[in-house]
Amino acid sequence: MGTLKDSYTSFLKDIEANIKNKEDLDYIKLRFSQFLDVVLDQMDYIMDYRKEEVEKLEKKQKELDEKMGKVENIVNHIEKDIYSEEGFDFEIICPYCDYEFVIDVDEDKTEIECPECGNTIELDWTGDLDEPQGCKRRLLLM
Ligand SMILES: [Zn+2]
């Protein structure tokens, strides 16, 4: 805007120096200031419009960010679901100390050491999953 003001000042100086008739000079000054008002109004309007556009874009960006956050949440949940379906975890309740812990299904393993009391717990993978033998193990549906 500084440039505009400088131009305006130099414009006034120029017409004052070149138009000798005072009536003509006042008339041109008046007309020019009316014209300038319109130009400045238009500039204000354009600036406001651009500000509005920027605000709209910022709002849209915010909405997109929120949507992305939701999508990320869903993806994380899906990953969790996939993991819990890939690995059947078994909850073991130690028959010696009642300590509960979870192991991955590994049918090659026939026994596991209780992390709490150190006793060896026999694993029976052939048992009916629906009716766990005496609470020794049960399928965890997570
Ligand atoms: Zn134990």
Side-chain angles (χ1 to χ4, degrees):
M1 288 301 246
T3 316
L4 185 67
K5 208 184 156 200
D6 289 348
S7 297
Y8 184 51
T9 309
S10 94
F11 168 80
L12 284 181
K13 266 188 196 165
D14 189 57
I15 56 170
E16 274 166 13
N18 287 288
I19 295 171
K20 300 299 173 195
N21 184 308
K22 194 163 182 319
E23 261 177 47
D24 285 353
L25 185 63
D26 285 345
Y27 180 74
I28 289 171
K29 273 186 179 175
L30 177 72
R31 282 300 289 122
F32 187 75
S33 87
Q34 284 170 347
F35 166 73
L36 201 62
D37 279 348
V38 174
V39 172
L40 290 175
D41 270 1
Q42 280 295 308
M43 283 178 72
D44 274 352
Y45 174 77
I46 291 167
M47 301 276 264
D48 278 353
Y49 177 77
R50 290 191 62 174
K51 209 177 135 206
E52 227 171 83
E53 286 297 295
V54 167
E55 276 166 7
K56 263 190 217 163
L57 278 174
E58 276 171 357
K59 205 177 154 219
K60 232 177 199 168
Q61 183 64 47
K62 216 181 140 204
E63 281 171 6
L64 274 176
D65 284 349
E66 277 167 17
K67 271 185 193 162
M68 279 307 289
K70 275 182 197 164
V71 168
E72 223 169 278
N73 260 343
I74 290 168
V75 168
N76 285 343
H77 276 288
I78 289 171
E79 272 176 12
K80 232 180 171 182
D81 285 349
I82 290 170
Y83 275 120
S84 61
E85 274 174 33
E86 266 181 358
F88 284 101
D89 291 337
F90 275 87
E91 184 182 80
I92 306 275
I93 298 171
C94 176
Y96 304 101
C97 70
D98 281 342
Y99 180 74
E100 286 187 31
F101 58 102
V102 172
I103 62 161
D104 289 330
V105 169
D106 181 355
E107 301 207 356
D108 294 334
K109 266 189 202 165
T110 54
E111 50 185 39
I112 189 147
E113 193 179 284
C114 171
E116 185 67 15
C117 66
N119 276 305
T120 299
I121 304 160
E122 269 186 54
L123 300 171
D124 178 14
W125 298 111
T126 58
D128 191 344
L129 292 181
D130 292 331
E131 286 178 26
Q133 297 168 344
C135 277
K136 198 175 169 187
R137 61 184 169 83
R138 65 174 189 263
L139 184 61
L140 267 190
L141 290 173
M142 289 197 294

